[in-house]
Amino acid sequence: QGNPSITLMEIRGHSDWEEPDRMKRAELSIQRADTVVAALIARGVEPERLTAYGASDREPLSVSDPVVNRRIELRILQRDRD
């Protein structure tokens, strides 16, 4: 909303390896991303400017601290070049 030049942003949800069920890890990561997307929409960001992605535990920041891997990343995928 506050930066109209960003026309597409990906919200990436991440999980850690502590959850033994691989499918549950994937589910947690997409739920995390969907929650942030919903919050941004509630704050006035147009839904067509957002996409959610569940990365599960495939992109860890730390191999020793699982808490660090439970996170959200925002990636700008497309900008209006005006």
Side-chain angles (χ1 to χ4, degrees):
Q1 182 180 358
N3 195 339
S5 69
I6 297 173
T7 57
L8 185 59
M9 184 166 55
E10 181 180 67
I11 313 303
R12 297 174 68 87
H14 297 267
S15 59
D16 61 51
W17 61 85
E18 286 196 324
E19 168 59 54
D21 184 332
R22 185 171 153 236
M23 293 302 291
K24 182 69 173 169
R25 288 191 305 261
E27 183 180 311
L28 287 169
S29 67
I30 192 65
Q31 285 175 355
R32 189 168 278 137
D34 285 343
T35 298
V36 173
V37 166
L40 291 169
I41 291 169
R43 286 165 178 78
V45 177
E46 297 89 353
E48 60 272 7
R49 293 173 58 194
L50 302 170
T51 184
Y53 175 77
S56 189
D57 63 343
R58 294 184 299 269
E59 301 170 2
L61 291 178
S62 172
V63 294
S64 60
D65 184 1
V67 175
V68 172
N69 297 315
R70 298 176 203 151
R71 69 189 188 281
I72 288 289
E73 292 179 350
L74 307 178
R75 294 189 179 180
I76 296 170
L77 300 180
Q78 188 175 4
R79 283 186 184 264
D80 189 5
R81 297 290 179 194
D82 288 340

